[in-house]
Amino acid sequence: MEWLEKMNGALDYIEAHLTEEINPAKLAGVACCSSFNFQRMFSFMADVTLADYIRRRRLTRAAMELLSTREKVIDIALRYGYGSPVSFARAFRAVHGINPGDVRKPGACIKSYPRITFTITIKGVEAMNYRIENFSEMRLVGYRERMNMENGENFRRIPQFWNECYSDDRGKTLMQYNDDKKLYCLGVCANDSDREFDYYIATGSSKKISVDMEELIVPAATYAVFECVGTMPDAMQAMWKRIFSEWFPTAKYEPANHAPQIEWYSEGDMQRDSYRSEIWIPILKKD
């Protein structure tokens, strides 16, 4: 339960500072984890990026103030961090479908995005198969791109990166370097900062690599390994959500900060219901 208390503490912080700049690193500090882990956990648990959630809460409050007060639109816009009426109107329309000035007209319809609360999700008899495993140091090789987490850009860019690598034969070339079937095809998040991280499409190899590839040494660590069965990417995304909403809240472990997180893909047709993949998360025992 301590896990959920920390995450909900971060939500409390958001509510108390909607009229101020909210730094993801500050929220991560409230939740006692890295900025990278906090933003990933938030997105999977809430089904919305952190930036989108904050934007929706601000514009929900702004709409309520437009309805309940006679304040000028520009004053409310400035209070919630918008530097001009134009930028405020654009963001307001994206959420509510109308201009800020139309809110006070009779019959105006606006939307409300309530504050969320994280709770333990109970799924009954649906099993979650996992194991705790001590991994030795791993040498991975592959293709790297620096990903930006602002506004959920990484969730859009990573699938594009995979498509590009396999459409121009880099994916096929990569598999020729594999000499460890346990590390066949991997997606790896590593070297994270407050707003960015490196994403590798990689494989396990001891071979010398070409100039357009990069090496990643993953230190020895203890990992929680979760089995996924089903079509991609739905099965993988559903498992990430279950890990953060069902497993971590009651486990005696927490994610290790600033350590690589890995998705493992088996050979075969990713669109088959029986396709098998895994999520590897480095963990530490809770104090």
Side-chain angles (χ1 to χ4, degrees):
M1 296 301 293
E2 180 185 358
W3 170 271
L4 292 178
E5 290 173 359
K6 291 176 180 178
M7 293 297 290
N8 285 321
L11 291 172
D12 291 339
Y13 183 92
I14 291 173
E15 289 300 304
H17 296 82
L18 284 174
T19 59
E20 306 168 25
E21 181 179 356
I22 299 176
N23 191 319
K26 175 63 177 180
L27 294 174
V30 174
C32 300
C33 62
S34 69
S35 180
F36 170 78
N37 276 333
F38 177 79
Q39 292 183 71
R40 281 176 65 81
M41 288 186 292
F42 187 96
S43 295
F44 284 117
M45 293 174 71
D47 289 324
V48 64
T49 66
L50 176 63
D52 280 341
Y53 173 73
I54 294 172
R55 184 180 301 111
R56 292 176 184 180
R57 287 297 300 139
R58 282 174 170 156
L59 291 169
T60 292
R61 289 259 292 263
M64 293 176 66
E65 292 181 15
L66 284 168
L67 277 174
S68 61
T69 73
R70 304 308 300 173
E71 283 191 85
K72 294 180 180 179
V73 172
I74 184 58
D75 292 336
I76 294 176
L78 291 172
R79 181 178 304 129
Y80 287 97
Y82 292 90
S84 71
V86 173
S87 62
F88 180 60
R90 185 184 303 115
F92 198 90
R93 282 196 303 272
V95 169
H96 297 289
I98 61 175
N99 289 319
D102 295 333
V103 169
R104 291 168 175 155
K105 294 180 179 179
C109 182
I110 59 176
K111 295 178 181 178
S112 175
Y113 289 94
R115 176 238 164 97
I116 63 176
T117 300
F118 293 128
T119 60
I120 295 176
T121 302
I122 299 175
K123 294 290 187 179
V125 296
E126 187 177 354
M128 180 183 291
N129 296 323
Y130 74 93
R131 65 185 185 273
I132 305 299
E133 187 171 345
N134 293 317
F135 285 6
S136 301
E137 182 180 271
M138 295 178 281
R139 179 184 185 263
L140 308 181
V141 302
Y143 303 101
R144 178 185 67 88
E145 185 169 313
R146 191 70 175 168
M147 297 292 172
N148 190 323
M149 290 186 285
E150 291 194 35
N151 297 314
E153 176 61 27
N154 54 297
F155 289 106
R156 292 185 288 270
R157 178 56 193 153
I158 288 174
Q160 295 173 353
F161 187 32
W162 277 93
N163 288 336
E164 291 168 5
C165 281
Y166 276 84
S167 63
D168 62 15
D169 288 336
R170 279 181 292 172
K172 182 178 179 181
T173 300
L174 176 63
M175 293 303 100
Q176 296 174 358
Y177 284 84
N178 177 262
D179 55 14
D180 185 345
K181 287 300 180 183
K182 293 181 180 180
L183 304 174
Y184 178 67
C185 183
L186 309 171
V188 186
C189 299
N191 306 321
D192 58 278
S193 65
D194 286 346
R195 299 183 186 276
E196 296 180 322
F197 63 93
D198 286 336
Y199 187 82
Y200 292 80
I201 296 175
T203 191
S205 179
S206 59
K207 300 176 182 178
K208 183 179 178 179
I209 57 176
S210 60
V211 294
D212 63 332
M213 298 173 68
E214 298 195 34
E215 174 189 82
L216 175 66
I217 302 299
V218 179
T222 300
Y223 278 76
V225 178
F226 298 87
E227 296 180 5
C228 304
V229 179
T231 60
M232 293 290 105
D234 293 346
M236 185 74 74
Q237 292 174 351
M239 182 54 67
W240 275 109
K241 183 177 180 67
R242 292 191 66 195
I243 290 167
F244 290 129
S245 62
E246 298 177 40
W247 193 77
F248 272 119
T250 57
K252 297 184 182 296
Y253 299 92
E254 59 189 8
N257 291 329
H258 308 300
Q261 297 181 1
I262 300 172
E263 294 176 345
W264 173 86
Y265 300 97
S266 64
E267 297 183 68
D269 184 359
M270 290 186 173
Q271 297 309 305
R272 290 178 62 89
D273 291 339
S274 59
Y275 180 77
R276 182 170 172 265
S277 56
E278 293 179 344
I279 294 173
W280 303 353
I281 303 181
I283 54 173
L284 298 172
K285 283 188 177 181
K286 293 179 181 178
D287 293 335

